């Protein structure tokens, strides 16, 4: 008996998923909770574990297939059905061919049988290696082809134009990674995978290929990306993000306001190891305090209604190798700076390790981002529906600033940062945005 594995519910708002990669092949043994495949949704990429132990007998959803929640993915059993699901037609064809060949031989005339026997006896002579090297190589290939067993159709035959597939102990390798390795002459058995379960990703192949390109002329500075001159398909995550960005921009009236804040005191606290480890938790805390005073920045539009949430759920922009993702800190108003620092660090780590649940990427009411690690001075964030505003902080830099000392103007070296607020002017006026930013600056400077 076999059990059907269905696509489980991946979150309240997730209704479908796209199979991006199978981690097991038909005939492989799997344990309970062992990852079977990777699925991409409009929220997050995640692994689907096996609900039972057994042998993967049949794959019902191929890579790049988009299926609904609850739809069948595979069948797992005791292994008795694995062979039938992996290559029943080929084995049946082989048996039918053998039976047909026997019948034809018995019904044929003695002359035909004699001719057939003559041809069969002549083949070994043709394939016998001779002293000329090239014909011998061709004959050896012919012998190998005729002696191949038909019971192994699951391994696709390599075309003559493709390099020999060298995977060694690399395990499952996606077609994209395999093609990339062949293009750059990378032996996958020598590559250490950094993906889930040690699997090899395209970044691992590119990293292994870069040192070997010693034949290229030296360049003055930096490294040239391997993507230069190539065409790559958009990931599902990238396509969904693009669709949401365009839809949000078309459905809202977005404008951006920019102010400058003196965050010298915050920088001193961070340097003194008495507070959070970065500027972002202080920005998040200041934003939450300002949202509680100016709730329209935390609101959402529903038809001709304005919804004011009872809590501040902060979406925190996190940079990953799959693109920007925004996990959500629920009820951020209940946390102080230290609590926000811990929550941000934990969410960022799990976001980059692809271990978030889809629900942790939904429900945000306001977005906070910072480019302090990238060095950008000013960024104008995009507001994603259903949110109405997003706040971005540029890099914190030291600059000479005119300040007041004992009632007189003076020039001092201060740590300053630009704050950019994008907002939906359908419900947020410029005065609302200005008051909100003034409150944020007041909290940061004090």
């Amino acid at each position: 008996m076999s059990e059907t594995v269905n696509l489980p519910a991946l979150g309240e708002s997730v209704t479908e998923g796209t199979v991006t990669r199978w981690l097991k092949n038909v005939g492989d043994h799997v344990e309970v909770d062992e990852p079977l495949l990777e699925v991409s949704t409009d929220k997050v990429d995640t692994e689907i574990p096996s609900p039972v132990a057994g042998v993967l007998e049949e794959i019902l959803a191929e890579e790049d297939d988009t299926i609904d929640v609850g739809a069948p993915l595979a069948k797992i059993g005791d292994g008795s059905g694995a062979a039938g699901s992996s290559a029943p037609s080929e084995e049946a064809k082989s048996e039918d061919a053998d039976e047909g060949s026997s019948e034809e031989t018995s019904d044929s005339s003695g002359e035909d049988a004699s001719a057939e026997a003559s041809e069969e006896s002549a083949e070994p002579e043709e394939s016998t290696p001779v002293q000329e090297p090239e014909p011998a190589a061709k004959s050896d290939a012919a012998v190998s082809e005729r002696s191949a067993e038909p019971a192994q159709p699951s391994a696709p035959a390599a075309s003559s134009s493709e390099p020999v597939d060298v995977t060694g102990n690399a395990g499952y390798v996606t077609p994209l990674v395999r093609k990339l390795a062949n293009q750059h002459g990378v032996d996958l058995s020598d590559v250490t995978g950094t993906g889930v379960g040690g699997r090899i990703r395209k970044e691992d192949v590119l990293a292994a290929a870069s040192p070997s390109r010693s034949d290229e002329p030296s360049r003055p500075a930096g490294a040239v990306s391997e993507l230069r001159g190539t065409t790559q398909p958009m990931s599902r995550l990238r396509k969904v993000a693009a669709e949401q960005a365009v839809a949000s921009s078309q459905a809202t009236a977005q404008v951006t306001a920019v102010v400058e804040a003196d965050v010298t005191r915050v920088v001193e606290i961070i340097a003194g190891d008495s507070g959070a480890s970065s500027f972002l938790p202080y920005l998040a805390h200041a934003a939450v305090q300002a949202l509680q005073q100016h709730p329209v920045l935390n609101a959402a539009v529903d038809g001709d209604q304005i919804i004011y949430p009872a809590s501040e759920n902060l979406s925190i922009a996190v940079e990953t190798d799959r693109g920007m993702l925004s996990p959500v800190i629920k009820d951020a108003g209940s946390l102080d700076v230290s609590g926000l620092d811990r929550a941000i660090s934990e969410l960022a780590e799990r976001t980059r390790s692809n271990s978030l649940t889809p629900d942790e990427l939904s429900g945000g009411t306001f977005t906070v981002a910072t480019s302090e690690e990238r060095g950008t001075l000013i960024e104008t964030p995009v507001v994603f529906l259903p949110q109405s505003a997003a706040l971005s902080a540029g890099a914190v830099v030291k600059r000479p600033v005119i300040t007041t000392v004992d009632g007189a103007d003076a020039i001092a070296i201060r740590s300053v940062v630009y704050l950019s607020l994008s907002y939906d002017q359908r419900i947020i006026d410029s005065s609302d945005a200005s008051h909100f930013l003034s409150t944020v600056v007041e909290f940061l400077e004090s």
Side-chain angles (χ1 to χ4, degrees), residues 20-93:
T20 54
R21 181 170 61 165
W22 277 96
L23 307 177
K24 295 292 183 179
N25 297 317
V26 172
D28 289 352
H29 182 80
V30 294
E31 299 292 342
V32 176
D33 293 333
E34 185 177 3
L36 273 177
L37 71 157
E38 292 179 352
V39 171
S40 177
T41 72
D42 59 351
K43 300 294 183 183
V44 69
D45 294 343
T46 186
E47 291 181 342
I48 304 300
S50 174
V52 295
V55 175
L56 180 57
E57 295 183 342
E58 186 176 1
I59 291 177
L60 303 176
E62 300 296 334
E63 292 183 358
D64 295 330
D65 285 353
T66 299
I67 62 175
D68 295 330
V69 170
L73 291 169
K75 288 185 177 181
I76 295 179
D78 57 6
S80 59
S85 61
S86 61
S89 59
E90 294 296 331
E91 291 181 355
K93 289 179 181 179

Side-chain angles (χ1 to χ4, degrees), residues 143-164:
V143 171
S144 176
E145 182 178 356
R146 284 194 300 270
S147 61
E149 296 181 3
Q152 298 177 348
S154 58
S159 72
S160 57
S161 62
E162 293 183 354
V164 177

Side-chain angles (χ1 to χ4, degrees), residues 73-410:
L73 291 169
K75 288 185 177 181
I76 295 179
D78 57 6
S80 59
S85 61
S86 61
S89 59
E90 294 296 331
E91 291 181 355
K93 289 179 181 179
S94 177
E95 293 175 359
D96 292 343
D98 291 342
E99 292 177 1
S101 176
S102 300
E103 291 176 0
E104 290 178 2
T105 302
S106 61
D107 294 338
S108 62
S109 63
E111 182 179 351
D112 293 338
S114 175
E116 185 177 351
S118 175
E119 291 176 358
E120 292 178 353
S121 62
E123 287 183 356
E125 293 180 2
E126 293 176 3
S127 62
T128 302
V130 293
Q131 294 181 354
E132 297 180 4
E134 292 185 2
K138 294 179 180 179
S139 301
D140 288 341
V143 171
S144 176
E145 182 178 356
R146 284 194 300 270
S147 61
E149 296 181 3
Q152 298 177 348
S154 58
S159 72
S160 57
S161 62
E162 293 183 354
V164 177
D165 175 30
V166 182
T167 59
N169 59 354
Y172 176 78
V173 180
T174 64
L176 174 62
V177 171
R178 192 187 311 277
K179 179 179 179 181
L180 204 60
N182 288 333
Q183 288 177 345
H184 294 285
V186 174
D187 187 346
L188 293 177
S189 61
D190 296 332
V191 178
T192 301
T194 60
V196 178
R199 296 179 185 89
I200 298 176
R201 305 183 303 154
K202 64 180 181 180
E203 290 82 2
D204 302 324
V205 174
L206 295 177
S210 298
S212 63
R213 303 180 66 179
S214 58
D215 56 329
E216 289 191 355
S218 59
R219 304 184 185 275
V224 177
S225 171
E226 295 292 342
L227 295 178
R228 185 170 179 260
T230 67
T231 300
Q232 302 289 336
M234 293 177 68
S235 66
R236 176 176 171 81
L237 185 63
R238 177 64 62 187
K239 287 188 288 187
V240 170
E243 293 170 357
Q244 291 177 343
V246 172
S248 297
S249 298
Q250 292 177 342
T252 60
Q254 297 190 24
V255 293
T256 303
V258 181
V259 296
E260 184 180 73
D262 184 339
V263 291
T264 304
R265 178 58 182 152
V266 174
V267 172
E268 291 173 349
I269 294 174
I270 295 174
D273 294 330
S274 59
S277 57
S278 68
F279 175 67
L280 183 55
Y282 292 93
L283 177 66
H285 187 258
V288 168
Q289 304 304 312
L291 288 174
Q292 292 177 350
Q293 296 184 27
H294 311 281
V296 68
L297 276 296
N298 197 50
V301 177
D302 183 10
D304 58 356
Q305 303 291 315
I306 301 177
I307 301 175
Y308 295 90
S311 62
E312 295 74 34
N313 300 333
L314 287 188
S315 297
I316 305 295
V318 177
E319 185 176 356
T320 74
D321 58 0
R322 293 167 289 128
M324 295 294 292
L325 294 173
S326 299
V328 179
I329 301 177
K330 304 294 175 63
D331 195 15
S334 64
L335 301 175
D336 58 11
V337 173
S338 298
L340 287 169
D341 187 30
R342 289 190 297 270
I344 291 172
S345 298
E346 179 188 351
L347 277 178
E349 180 180 354
R350 293 199 294 115
T351 300
R352 296 188 176 102
S353 63
N354 198 22
S355 57
L356 289 176
T357 64
D359 288 338
E360 291 179 301
L361 287 164
S362 61
T365 59
F366 186 86
T367 296
V368 174
T370 177
S371 60
E372 59 179 321
E373 296 181 356
R374 300 189 300 274
T376 306
L377 292 178
I378 298 178
E379 287 187 344
T380 57
V382 175
V383 180
F384 284 86
L385 290 172
Q387 298 181 20
S388 297
L391 178 66
S392 176
V396 177
V397 296
K398 287 186 176 182
R399 255 200 349 257
V401 175
I402 297 178
T403 185
T404 302
V405 178
D406 296 331
D409 289 342

